[in-house]
Amino acid sequence: MEQRECLMHALHQLYYDPNIENKNLAQKWLMQAQVSPQAWQFCWALLSPDKVPEIQYFGASALHTKISRYWGDIPTDQYESLKSQLFSQIACFSSGSKMVLTRLCVALASLALNTMPEAWPGAVAEMVRVFQEEGGGVDGRARCLALLELLTVLPEEFHTSRLPQYRKGQVRGALGREWGSVCPLLQQLLRRADSPGAVKARVLRCLSSWVMLDVPLNESESLVHDCFSALPDPELFDTAVEAIVNAISQPDSQRYVNTLLKLVPLVLALQEQLREAVQGGDMETCHGICRIVVTLGENHSRTLLEQVDHWQSFLALVNMIMFCTGIPGHYPVNETTSSLTLTFWYTLQDEIMSFESERQAVYLQVYRPVYFQLVDVLLHKAQFPSDQEYASWSSDEKEQFRIYRVDISDTLMYVYEMLGAELLSNLYEKLGRLLTNTEQPTSWQHTEALLYGFQSIAETIDVNYSDVIPGLIGLIPRININNVQLADTVMFTIGALAEWLADHPVMLSSVLPLVLQALGNPDLSVSSVSTLKKICRECKYDLPPYASNIVAVSQEVLIKQIHKTSQCMWLMQALGFLLSALPVEEILRNLHSLITPYIQQLEKLADETPNPSNKLAIIHILGLLSNLFTTLDISKQDDESGEGSAPPVKTTPPPPGPNPVVVVLQQVFALIQTVLSQWLNDSQVVEAVCAIFEKSVKTLLHDFAPMVSQLSEMLGQMYSTIPQASALDLTRQMVHIFASQTDHFPPIKALFELVTSVTLSIFQQGRGSGKKPDLFLSESLDVKAVFHCGILSLKFPEAPTVKSTCLFFTELLPHCSDVPPVARVVQEDGKVLIQALLEGIGGGVSRSLMDQFAEVLFSMNKNCFSLLTLWLKEALQPPGFPSMRLTPEQKENFSQQILSRERVNKRRVKDIVKEFTLVCRGLHGTEYAAEY
């Protein structure tokens, strides 16, 4: 088949063959054909009038591809003929297929961008002239629409073109100068009484496209005014909105203050049209007008605020935005406009607060009342609809409403910065009136929204100084909670006040019963559990009188399986905080009753043959234990973050005897080993087991000591059977905490040596088995964790361990080139390795190990030289590192020697390192040095 037939066959397959594989093959072939040298011949043929539009479209696309991507292939002497061919094709298609016309216009636009301003000066003026000339048997309206299409795609093509940066600047300047040819044409067409709707719509689209080129606002001013005149026409409304919004949101537009001031009355004049749209339930028109108002307000509030003489018209604009915020109906079902306005309120507040204090005071006088009104409007919009209406909403609508309320909550929190404590008093008074008014029945929606306002602020802002909180806590029990949404908000409000309760523990008795009651309701799962967790964290030293009650209720809901997995985990964390403040005997007693049912369950599961359902049960139980141990901490030091109420006595020493967590872990250790032996191949179970110990080590730190040797042995067995990342992470943590303690050194050292030798054997196997080492690695272990373990153990007090670690690094580094995970970790953390090596050379480890340190340096030099150059420079920069005895010149000298040509000679590198370590230790030139 000759190429043209192949082409027709492929196009036929692409458009009409039902088989998807044939379509894909055809598309691939056609993409290649498009970029082939023959494309110039066939694309014109495909445009012939006897072809169907799909085939003509492909021809036009091929032309565009050639011009936009392979411009360099076109000889200069062919520019003119290419241009005139495109002009005549556009004229032919101006009354033909719209999609082909657009592609041809894009092709000519691309040609113009590649030739202006040198080869085709005045390109736009010529386009206008060519299409305004009579001829070609094409009627005037079709020619006019084709010209507008061409002018519209020209700026769009500029934004997506692949022009080099310097050309982009030239072409943008040339296009800016061409606006003088475009503007009068657009004006004339918009203002002519006999211009058809389709032409006017195209003019507006064209304006939208050109203003994105940063056409100065004062140069498009009269056209923007014409857009406002087009807004009452439903056929032109959307495109007019788009053009206005694009024009006034250009970054440069704020320079044209007078033009902006003239726009304000035009925007205010839209209020009538907006009110009619609201009454008629015309959501699209509301949305469009709101976009215009908000764009003007958001982009230019500073400029307009500064025009003090026009303060009343700007205030009117702000009030118009307030109307849009409070637009009647429930979002997102009856309206979608109010959400557009929220960012404006942030912007206006930022601008007001950024003025110096005298001017700020003047603006606050005007705008504080506006913001108080805004709070009322937002809380009204945050109200739930009636139960019946809410039940009819789809889950997607409910989710959108939830997100909308979160946005309102964030706005209220922000507004608090401006309104301060008065805002809380204001909300409290309203809530008080609502709950104490016996005359009128109140809707739960109203109460819920006011509480939601409180919660929004109290969640992130310290309300401890506020004098209305005691009253609020006093009001909460008076609320008639007859609805899930209201109950949820009551819970979250109590949770938000947990820090306040820690300072006023006497109030706990009035809210705790509500929380414990809610724990039994599955519909309130998230809110009740998270609130209990906050209270247990913040108020743990005030909770012992309530502890037995809290534990009993929690146990009951856990046994009844009321909550989903993640809430069960939070509940365990809450109990961990709670138990931490009790005497050790009580902790043990509570732990016994709390954990025994799970241990019995785990014993039963450990005997069963592994299957998916018992796997989930095992992971769940292990998760409960690790979450409990995450927060169960009997040391009386307060959290660094300042969370939690202060313990009664700061300096109480930890109680004598073993830590309760260690007692429990020792009791269940054998059981956990049994579970592991069944599930050693399953990374999720292994991870869940490691998590228990990891969380305990993190919380207990040195109190974990009695478990070290047992756990090191178990980790060693796990890792040598199947190396898994979670086991490695836990090893890294143990090495970090216990390696410096001589009593725990032997088991930790043995564990680390085992981990490094297993890791290296993985490399060897990976290569020996013909498996790609990186595949083998990613399946088997976490290189980053081993790397960090290695860096820690370079500081071990034992020479044999440090030697094996150096060997580990010299074997690992050559894999920078063939194992992506190794390359990644070396790139990210190689500097930390250099720092550790320099620390050792500077005197941190025995001089007898310098040869091994030099070997690692030699390997880094060989495998990541360019990075080493940078790291050495950065690492040696701090004064006094790696030794107080070094001068900057000595450091510089060492650095140059290591990076010089001698770096390829291992013997020489070892000598350089030995010499440097003597200087660092102050031994250079002494008799010690002679022995060395």
Side-chain angles (χ1 to χ4, degrees), residues 25 91 111 257 336 343 457 638 722 767 795 817 837 860:
L25 279 171
L111 182 137
V257 181
T336 52
T343 333
I457 294 160
D638 215 13
I722 293 181
R767 284 150 72 199
K795 302 170 188 177
S817 55
L837 289 170
M860 288 186 90

Side-chain angles (χ1 to χ4, degrees), residues 524-540:
L524 303 178
S525 181
V526 173
S527 60
S528 62
V529 175
S530 68
T531 296
L532 181 65
K533 182 180 155 183
K534 281 180 181 171
I535 290 176
C536 290
R537 185 181 67 207
E538 303 298 339
C539 314
K540 61 183 171 190

Side-chain angles (χ1 to χ4, degrees), residues 547-622:
S548 58
N549 197 4
I550 295 173
V551 172
V553 174
S554 302
Q555 267 185 292
E556 188 186 339
V557 299
L558 284 165
I559 289 163
K560 287 183 177 168
Q561 297 183 335
I562 282 174
H563 301 287
K564 291 195 174 127
T565 302
S566 51
Q567 276 70 53
C568 294
M569 302 303 158
W570 293 356
L571 191 48
M572 280 302 205
Q573 287 180 22
L575 294 171
F577 285 124
L578 174 75
L579 297 181
S580 303
L582 301 179
V584 172
E585 336 54 274
E586 275 188 55
I587 297 179
L588 285 167
R589 198 174 63 245
N590 276 299
L591 279 177
H592 181 73
S593 71
L594 194 59
I595 290 175
T596 305
Y598 293 111
I599 300 304
Q600 290 166 347
Q601 218 177 327
L602 197 57
E603 282 170 343
K604 224 168 83 195
L605 291 163
D607 290 340
E608 294 175 10
T609 318
N611 68 55
S613 72
N614 60 23
K615 169 180 162 175
L616 284 178
I618 288 172
I619 289 175
H620 181 75
I621 292 171
L622 295 172

Side-chain angles (χ1 to χ4, degrees), residues 681-842:
N681 293 337
D682 189 297
S683 64
Q684 287 169 302
V685 176
V686 170
E687 205 172 307
V689 167
C690 289
I692 289 184
F693 295 105
E694 195 181 343
K695 299 281 168 60
S696 312
V697 171
K698 263 186 186 160
T699 312
L700 302 181
L701 299 173
H702 298 294
D703 282 356
F704 189 78
M707 298 290 302
V708 169
S709 63
Q710 274 171 296
L711 185 56
S712 299
E713 194 182 328
M714 181 172 98
L715 275 170
Q717 290 163 353
M718 282 161 66
Y719 197 76
S720 44
T721 317
I722 293 181
Q724 298 205 8
S726 48
L728 197 54
D729 269 333
L730 181 48
T731 301
R732 178 171 61 169
Q733 228 170 359
M734 303 255 294
V735 168
H736 192 61
I737 295 171
F738 294 106
S740 57
Q741 301 189 352
T742 32
D743 355 349
H744 304 301
F745 190 67
I748 294 267
K749 178 190 131 188
L751 171 61
F752 183 72
E753 286 176 347
L754 183 135
V755 164
T756 47
S757 69
V758 168
T759 306
L760 287 174
S761 72
I762 286 175
F763 278 107
Q764 265 76 54
Q765 283 169 2
R767 284 150 72 199
S769 66
K771 237 188 182 188
K772 266 177 128 183
D774 58 328
L775 273 175
F776 203 83
L777 264 173
S778 54
E779 287 164 17
S780 322
L781 83 156
D782 172 355
V783 188
K784 198 178 177 79
V786 188
F787 195 84
H788 279 271
C789 267
I791 289 171
L792 287 168
S793 50
L794 281 175
K795 302 170 188 177
F796 275 15
E798 286 232 342
T801 310
V802 179
K803 278 183 180 171
S804 68
T805 305
C806 288
L807 176 70
F808 166 72
F809 280 119
T810 50
E811 297 229 3
L812 183 81
L813 289 164
H815 291 293
C816 277
S817 55
D818 62 348
V819 181
V822 173
R824 249 196 321 276
V825 79
V826 170
Q827 214 166 358
E828 287 168 13
D829 300 327
K831 185 179 164 189
V832 189
L833 174 57
I834 274 292
Q835 285 167 327
L837 289 170
L838 289 170
E839 210 174 305
I841 295 168

Side-chain angles (χ1 to χ4, degrees), residues 341-455:
T341 64
L342 298 179
T343 333
F344 164 76
W345 298 108
Y346 286 78
T347 310
L348 178 61
Q349 180 175 326
D350 285 346
E351 298 300 1
I352 291 171
M353 303 309 273
S354 71
F355 286 115
E356 45 34 85
S357 55
E358 273 180 39
R359 282 185 76 182
Q360 195 187 99
V362 176
Y363 285 117
L364 284 174
Q365 239 180 331
V366 177
Y367 286 101
R368 263 177 75 91
V370 172
Y371 272 83
F372 273 113
Q373 187 194 344
L374 174 68
V375 171
D376 290 345
V377 168
L378 289 175
L379 290 176
H380 182 72
K381 292 297 290 180
Q383 283 189 28
F384 279 88
S386 71
D387 295 336
Q388 192 183 353
E389 195 182 331
Y390 190 64
S392 71
W393 285 11
S394 70
S395 57
D396 187 40
E397 286 166 341
K398 287 177 180 171
E399 178 57 11
Q400 280 185 53
F401 180 59
R402 187 192 67 76
I403 294 167
Y404 174 68
R405 279 172 48 102
V406 171
D407 292 341
I408 286 179
S409 170
D410 292 344
T411 313
L412 288 170
M413 191 180 77
Y414 205 75
V415 166
Y416 179 83
E417 300 288 327
M418 185 197 260
L419 301 181
E422 199 184 329
L423 172 55
L424 287 178
S425 315
N426 189 304
L427 290 175
Y428 173 64
E429 275 167 33
K430 288 190 173 125
L431 190 64
R433 278 204 302 276
L434 207 63
L435 294 175
T436 51
N437 182 350
T438 45
E439 323 271 291
Q440 286 175 310
T442 54
S443 72
W444 69 263
Q445 285 90 340
H446 202 158
T447 309
E448 189 279 334
L450 282 168
L451 269 181
Y452 185 67
F454 254 113
Q455 176 213 321

